[in-house]
Amino acid sequence: MTDRLPHEKGFHVSWDQLHRDARALAWRLQSDAPEDGYKAVVAITRGGMAPAMIVARELDIRTVDTISVKSYNHQTQSAPQVIKSPDMDIIGDGTGILVVDDLVDTGKTLEAVRALMPKAQIATVYAKPMGRPQVNTFVTEVSQDTWIFFPWDMALQYVEPYRGKD
Ligand SMILES: O=P(O)(O)OC[C@H]1O[C@H](OP(=O)(O)OP(=O)(O)O)[C@H](O)[C@@H]1O
Ligand code: HPA
Ligand SMILES: [Mg+2]
């Protein structure tokens, strides 16, 4: 399946904003945590790695693993592929495991992750309406026709002043 989704708007996230939002996510997760805390964090690479690191730091979780799911090439979506699984001896059925990603869009990536660890708690920093039901905790909702631009995909560059442009 290959699908090019229309994204009319752009939502640009700076490193500062991402840090603040990932901390806000950790704050929310504190109250949802199991009594004895989360056993481990699983970051969905690559986008989930920076948020997962920030959340793991705030919640003092030292065991961090990764699952690699590839769904997009730029803005073109294809069927999600699990390229690398976490250590299933630690993960089990997902009980006490916190999965972190940068965002949920259609929810297809998280569907693949949930199939592997059905009891895990799933958190994303940003969520679009289609994928929201797949997420237990998130911080900011963004409309479906918006593309979120993350700081690792961007660079500062010179822009012409308004005056002088025709
Ligand atoms: O809810 P979905 O429609 O499945 O989309 C969300 C996923 O897409 C992006 O990952 P991508 O596959 O682009 O890989 P990356 O994290 O390595 O950039 C994003 O980081 C999420 O993991
Ligand atoms: O809005 C988005 N931004 C970046 N990566 C993505 N992967 C799916 N949707 C998005
Ligand atoms: Mg991703």
Side-chain angles (χ1 to χ4, degrees):
M1 176 200 60
T2 300
D3 188 14
R4 201 163 203 304
L5 303 164
H7 294 103
E8 283 163 15
K9 298 174 220 149
F11 179 72
H12 295 79
V13 181
S14 67
W15 282 110
D16 271 7
Q17 187 66 47
L18 183 85
H19 196 180
R20 268 194 297 276
D21 289 342
R23 275 193 161 146
L25 181 64
W27 185 260
R28 281 178 197 189
L29 286 165
Q30 259 200 124
S31 43
D32 298 346
E35 227 163 79
D36 47 351
Y38 295 104
K39 262 200 315 201
V41 169
V42 174
I44 304 180
T45 66
R46 296 159 303 177
M49 293 180 89
M53 177 267 162
I54 295 163
V55 166
R57 188 265 177 189
E58 294 304 330
L59 301 183
D60 196 26
I61 304 163
R62 299 285 174 160
T63 306
V64 180
D65 204 340
T66 57
I67 179 168
S68 176
V69 183
K70 186 174 188 298
S71 315
Y72 288 82
N73 194 3
H74 300 293
Q75 294 189 23
T76 305
Q77 188 183 25
S78 52
Q81 282 174 269
V82 177
I83 293 168
K84 182 253 166 203
S85 300
D87 182 344
M88 294 314 282
D89 290 342
I90 297 173
I91 305 306
D93 62 1
T95 304
I97 302 297
L98 175 61
V99 176
V100 177
D101 205 354
D102 51 358
L103 79 135
V104 63
D105 189 322
T106 62
K108 292 227 158 29
T109 301
L110 294 186
E111 251 176 58
V113 170
R114 213 179 261 294
L116 263 188
M117 41 186 118
K119 298 223 168 127
Q121 163 113 10
I122 300 186
T124 62
V125 186
Y126 306 105
K128 299 189 194 179
M130 245 179 105
R132 241 187 92 162
Q134 298 285 348
V135 181
N136 302 108
T137 315
F138 70 96
V139 175
T140 302
E141 182 161 341
V142 174
S143 67
Q144 200 66 45
D145 60 351
T146 296
W147 189 260
I148 303 169
F149 291 92
F150 287 103
W152 47 84
D153 286 331
M154 290 187 287
L156 285 178
Q157 62 172 50
Y158 176 79
V159 283
E160 287 290 335
Y162 293 142
R163 197 177 156 92
K165 277 186 185 166
D166 335 283

